[in-house]
Amino acid sequence: MGRIRQLDAGLVNQIAAGEVVERPAAAVKELVENSLDAGAASITVRVGDPCWVRLEVQDDGEGILAEDLPLAVARHATSKVRVADDLLACTSLGFRGEALAAIGAVARLTVRSRPPQAPAGAVLTVAYGEAGSPAPAAMGPGTRVTVEDLFGRLPARAKYLRSPSAEYAAVHQVVARYAVGHYRVRFRLLRGDPGAEREELATQGGEDPRAALLAVFGTEVADRLLPLASEAGEGDGITVSGFVLPADLHRPHRRWQGLYLNGRPVANWTLRQAVEEAFRPQVPEGRHPGFWLWVTLDPARVDPNVHPAKLEVRVDGERLVAGRLYRAVAAALAGSSPAVPLWQPVFPTSAPDPAPAVAREAPVPAVPGPVPAPPAREPAAPLREAVADLVPLAQWQAKYIIAQGPDGLYLIDQHAAHERVYYEHFRRLAREARLAQPLLLPWTVSLSPEQWAAYEALKDGLLPEWGFAVDALGGRTLAVRAIPRGWGEVRADTFTALLDAYHQGGFGPGHSWDGPDQGALAMAACKAAVKAYRGLRREEMGALLAALAATADPRSCPHGRPTMLRLTLEEVDRRFGRSS
Ligand code: ADP
Ligand code: MG
């Protein structure tokens, strides 16, 4: 007898389900898409803690007829596509007829629904692939889909779940993405046990996308939005609208980005590249600009059927769309971008530097302190000498130091310079013994869901190893009782910055401080460094410049921003018509 056998249908479904619902956030995405396809004006997402125990999406859309319920949860059953041609011009978010079946194969799924015109609702439950039969249910119009014990009978799958807070953070992101993309719809996200739920996100719906951006990202984003010019279209059936953030608001992550193609959030490399290109060169390598863009085009030109979760899409005429995006974004930025600089970065900066050897032990001053001698060695040596020769003349705008050097006038960004100094200091400390330093007054810090996920991952390992002593106070609030010794001016926001850094990319292999992206240290340095808008005395300026000269690479802050601009003597002579 041969050894190859046909898999039974239940197993086939479970395997296929893995591509559609690989984690709770994916289930939420599918259910929210169904609600949007049903024309909902209001969508409420409720999740238990952990979210895989219970998650629920409720809407006020068109509902499902009782007689259709068994089909709704069957594989390859959909109301959205009937013939192959429909697929070519698909305007709905769903079309594969797979999501409910997939979720029902790996969880206990309960679908309650009542079309607005129907006199009563109906309910149907599927438990790990076994569908019950529809029963009447008393309910208002709309649909409520509940998913319980996701992967409950599939330990092999359950073990890939991350921590409750990490999975929750992913859910949060999904809801945020759709709440912005479909800003006309009211979204609510509630977390916790029934009766003790907290509202984590709420949008009002309405015609202005800015209201949704404000609700989701806060004033930091909403106050700086630059709208794309409204456009008549170029006769090619493509329209582009939305907002960008000024280039200086770049981030190490892409959470401040949304690209919606006919209402579908998409990851399309070419299109995203085109948008990011419009921000260059003002955005350093490894950082990402903010934008939320809505593109509409003939649905026949979008093929979303290339990825099971429909994240990737293929676009016919991609170059054309990319060009439109580039021009629209560049035009929106043009109003806000500076002219060609007369002052040049002293040394061209590029990516954050790859961990150069630390030159020497120099104590780092809270506000710049003692003057260390510049070490000699390596390629950066001559440039450190140049920096060591700088004489501060004045502080300008409480942000910049004007200094005189042998070859020109220098403008030094006091924050970027101090960041570089702190960065190298922290890196040195991280390699030395780590001791805790108790705080007289513990800090109370409230964490975002993402920060909390990072805290959970680090609380029993790295945090105590580094010298942090932290107590959970309930909710997402912590008391920080001790910090690593030698961290000088470390503040509560330095601590949360570390958690952000971890969330965004971990700390690299072995969770070292200076992992490949050095994100943690760079962020900590940023928070600890003297801020712009702080007056510095002449001695402080001198000390900062000297400390900068002692760093392994004074050219840039750890994020790759330049620390200094120079106006050369030749350039000044030339502009005054003095030179030959
Ligand atoms: P698809 O969305 O690809 O059609 P699903 O498995 O997600 O497949 O859903 C199957 C069908 O169930 C949908 O085609 C739709 O008719 C119905 N349905 C699912 N969710 C809802 C909802 N929230 N409101 C109305 N109908 C729904
Ligand atoms: Mg669907």
Side-chain angles (χ1 to χ4, degrees):
M1 195 173 105
R3 281 181 294 174
I4 302 180
R5 223 162 307 151
Q6 195 77 42
L7 292 174
D8 78 64
L11 199 50
V12 170
N13 277 350
Q14 282 187 358
I15 292 169
E19 296 170 22
V20 183
V21 274
E22 89 284 15
R23 60 192 301 196
V28 169
K29 168 185 176 293
E30 293 293 339
L31 299 181
V32 165
E33 287 192 349
N34 281 348
S35 295
L36 290 168
D37 282 345
S42 171
I43 298 176
T44 303
V45 180
R46 295 191 171 84
V47 297
D49 197 3
C51 55
W52 56 81
V53 169
R54 182 182 52 86
L55 54 90
E56 185 171 277
V57 175
Q58 180 172 8
D59 67 52
D60 58 356
E62 66 183 13
I64 309 171
L65 295 169
E67 71 225 54
D68 277 346
L69 271 182
L71 270 179
V73 300
R75 255 197 114 190
H76 307 307
T78 175
S79 57
K80 300 167 194 173
V81 174
R82 283 176 201 282
V83 292
D85 277 357
D86 291 352
L87 209 51
L88 297 179
C90 169
T91 52
S92 56
L93 294 165
F95 54 81
R96 298 162 71 107
E98 230 169 23
L100 291 183
I103 297 169
V106 296
R108 189 161 61 248
L109 169 76
T110 306
V111 185
R112 291 179 187 78
S113 193
R114 177 178 156 196
Q117 43 322 5
V123 54
L124 177 70
T125 297
V126 187
Y128 304 99
E130 301 289 330
S133 33
M139 63 180 295
T143 302
R144 189 163 97 213
V145 181
T146 312
V147 179
E148 290 164 298
D149 296 325
L150 186 64
F151 307 143
R153 291 197 203 152
L154 297 131
R157 299 289 304 285
K159 82 170 185 248
Y160 288 105
L161 288 168
R162 294 164 63 197
S163 67
S165 47
E167 294 297 345
Y168 172 73
V171 168
H172 193 101
Q173 263 190 57
V174 164
V175 177
R177 191 176 310 134
Y178 282 85
V180 170
H182 291 262
Y183 53 85
R184 292 188 180 88
V185 176
R186 295 182 45 170
F187 275 82
R188 274 188 2 123
L189 171 60
L190 303 171
R191 185 185 188 198
D193 296 327
E197 292 172 316
R198 284 187 310 279
E199 185 177 80
E200 300 269 345
L201 185 152
T203 63
Q204 290 310 310
E207 284 307 305
D208 191 352
R210 275 174 288 210
L213 286 165
L214 173 65
V216 172
F217 297 104
T219 50
E220 190 183 11
V221 159
D223 286 351
R224 308 268 326 257
L225 294 170
L226 305 169
L228 300 202
S230 61
E231 45 152 13
E234 294 178 10
D236 49 11
I238 303 171
T239 66
V240 173
S241 66
F243 302 88
V244 298
L245 289 175
D248 60 299
L249 279 184
H250 47 74
R251 281 292 172 279
H253 55 73
R254 286 204 162 95
R255 283 199 300 274
W256 283 4
Q257 297 187 350
L259 184 55
Y260 302 95
L261 221 62
N262 290 345
R264 183 192 304 283
V266 295
N268 175 296
W269 191 86
T270 310
L271 298 185
R272 189 172 67 198
Q273 241 6 63
V275 174
E276 293 208 350
E277 193 59 38
F279 287 87
R280 256 181 284 276
Q282 290 145 275
V283 176
E285 289 287 327
R287 309 277 299 180
H288 307 286
F291 56 81
W292 291 271
L293 303 168
W294 287 263
V295 179
T296 59
L297 70 169
D298 180 353
R301 293 169 59 172
V302 184
D303 180 4
N305 197 17
V306 291
H307 184 276
K310 296 164 285 177
L311 292 171
E312 303 277 351
V313 294
R314 206 174 287 140
V315 181
D316 174 27
E318 197 171 64
R319 296 259 112 235
L320 196 66
V321 180
R324 287 287 290 284
L325 282 170
Y326 175 84
R327 289 195 300 279
V329 171
L333 288 170
S336 75
S337 58
V340 178
L342 173 59
W343 293 76
Q344 300 288 342
V346 173
F347 313 101
T349 60
S350 55
D353 56 77
V358 175
R360 51 167 283 113
E361 315 269 311
V364 178
V367 175
V371 182
R377 253 199 306 146
E378 328 131 46
L383 126 201
R384 282 199 300 260
E385 271 155 39
V387 176
D389 283 344
L390 292 180
V391 180
L393 301 176
Q395 192 191 21
W396 182 45
Q397 296 285 330
K399 260 197 291 204
Y400 302 110
I401 298 167
I402 304 175
Q404 168 191 316
D407 53 354
L409 268 184
Y410 285 69
L411 266 185
I412 295 106
D413 181 318
Q414 67 192 38
H415 176 69
H418 206 194
E419 241 181 316
R420 160 58 63 186
V421 171
Y422 253 118
Y423 170 66
E424 296 198 3
H425 175 64
F426 283 164
R427 206 168 55 196
R428 208 160 41 236
L429 282 174
R431 294 180 176 156
E432 292 167 355
R434 295 152 201 172
L435 294 169
Q437 166 191 332
L439 294 167
L440 281 178
L441 290 175
W443 304 322
T444 310
V445 282
S446 299
L447 303 183
S448 70
E450 289 87 5
Q451 291 165 345
W452 183 262
Y455 162 71
E456 298 248 279
L458 298 175
K459 68 175 186 216
D460 296 322
L462 289 184
L463 289 179
E465 258 173 54
W466 290 338
F468 284 102
V470 181
D471 295 331
L473 295 182
R476 288 195 307 264
T477 307
L478 299 176
V480 179
R481 288 186 292 98
I483 59 172
R485 201 83 152 257
W487 274 50
E489 272 202 337
V490 167
R491 289 182 307 262
D493 55 357
T494 312
F495 175 73
T496 50
L498 280 175
L499 297 178
D500 284 333
Y502 181 78
H503 177 74
Q504 279 146 24
F507 296 150
H511 298 306
S512 67
W513 273 104
D514 43 359
D517 62 352
Q518 301 164 32
L521 287 183
M523 253 204 240
C526 172
K527 295 296 174 177
V530 56
K531 292 286 178 262
Y533 308 116
R534 158 139 183 210
L536 296 179
R537 284 172 289 119
R538 188 75 64 89
E539 312 83 80
E540 291 175 326
M541 293 189 262
L544 176 54
L545 294 182
L548 182 65
T551 60
D553 186 353
R555 289 172 296 184
S556 61
C557 83
H559 303 104
R561 288 201 302 122
T563 49
M564 309 175 258
L565 298 180
R566 177 177 50 186
L567 178 60
T568 62
L569 182 55
E570 297 90 81
E571 184 65 16
V572 176
D573 283 346
R574 200 177 63 77
R575 300 242 174 180
F576 280 115
R578 282 179 169 273
S579 58
S580 47

